[in-house]
Amino acid sequence: MLKQVAEGVLIHQSEFCQSNAVVVQGRSGALLIDAGIYGDEMTCLADDLAESGQTVVAGFSTHPHWDHVLWHARLGAAPRYGTARCAAVIRDRLSGPDRKDSIAGMIPADIAEQMSWDLFGLITGLPAETAQIPWDGPHVRIIEHQAHTPGHAALLIEERGVLVAGDLLSDAMIPMLNPNATDPIEGYLTALRLIEDVADNVDVLIPGHGSIGGADQVRTRIDRDRAYLRALRDTDTCDDPRVGPSATFDWMSGAHERQLQQLGRGRA
């Protein structure tokens, strides 16, 4: 079931990790950002769009992790965009002879069974420095950064005051670092500064996973992510509620410990 969060902007939240698919209504159809997780959820989304007289005319993946590059035949054959780096990363992952087995190993079995493997990761990379998604609808600004994974993009739907943050600014998940980055914490802090630059233009915040936030939540979540990163870098303690006993996902404490270990600061 689609839920409207701003004029012409709707979301569908999956049962899997509170993943948010985003629909932006345009003049000739809809832009679908991070299409969804389960096949039946994407079928339901396609039915909801059809009932409202809309079809998908463009897709966009905020980054190349498996849960953001899924698709379903019922959504049609519209071009599916991402940043040039995003497309290059997923193309590389799909190039090996055992690509399906290696990718499937990262995906819960019930999701892998429903996946349309022939549609997985078919992302068209936009030319480097592309500022907006090319489609017939509200201007959607691309804010590319290298936090979390190469080729990540946050999207600002300028006319609607909506920020689609990808896997940043979640109230349920701590900042997840790019372990292959030269300086993963500084790269993440740089991404937060880029988003902070547009914070005054945001009325609705949609994270890749977690709850939708209002204008008052944008800087609050930036500050929370920044505080977590600085604690990860500078101290041995973490009082972030996304990790503690009240955490939405109980596996966050393990993710936090793995990040400490990657930084050479984990428990022996």
Side-chain angles (χ1 to χ4, degrees), residues 3 7 43 60 67 69 78 85 106 129 136 140 146 150 189 195 211 218 220 229 238 247:
K3 173 185 176 182
E7 181 185 352
T43 297
F60 191 92
D67 52 328
V69 295
R85 283 190 180 95
M106 300 183 291
E129 311 303 326
D136 185 22
V140 181
Q146 307 309 314
L189 290 171
I195 293 175
S211 303
V218 181
T220 296
L229 293 164
C238 177

Side-chain angles (χ1 to χ4, degrees), residues 101-120:
D101 290 340
S102 63
I103 294 171
M106 300 183 291
I107 302 173
D110 59 331
I111 296 174
E113 289 171 359
Q114 296 186 31
M115 283 175 53
S116 300
W117 281 99
D118 57 330
L119 299 175
F120 178 81

Side-chain angles (χ1 to χ4, degrees), residues 38 40 44 48 68 83 86 121 131 134 163 175 189-190 192 198 215 235 254 266:
Y38 291 102
D40 56 357
C44 179
D48 286 348
H68 295 263
T83 66
C86 173
L163 177 70
L189 290 171
T190 297
L192 293 178
V198 303
T235 74

Side-chain angles (χ1 to χ4, degrees), residues 42-56:
M42 286 186 272
T43 297
C44 179
L45 192 155
D47 288 342
D48 286 348
L49 287 173
E51 289 177 9
S52 67
Q54 292 254 309
T55 58
V56 177

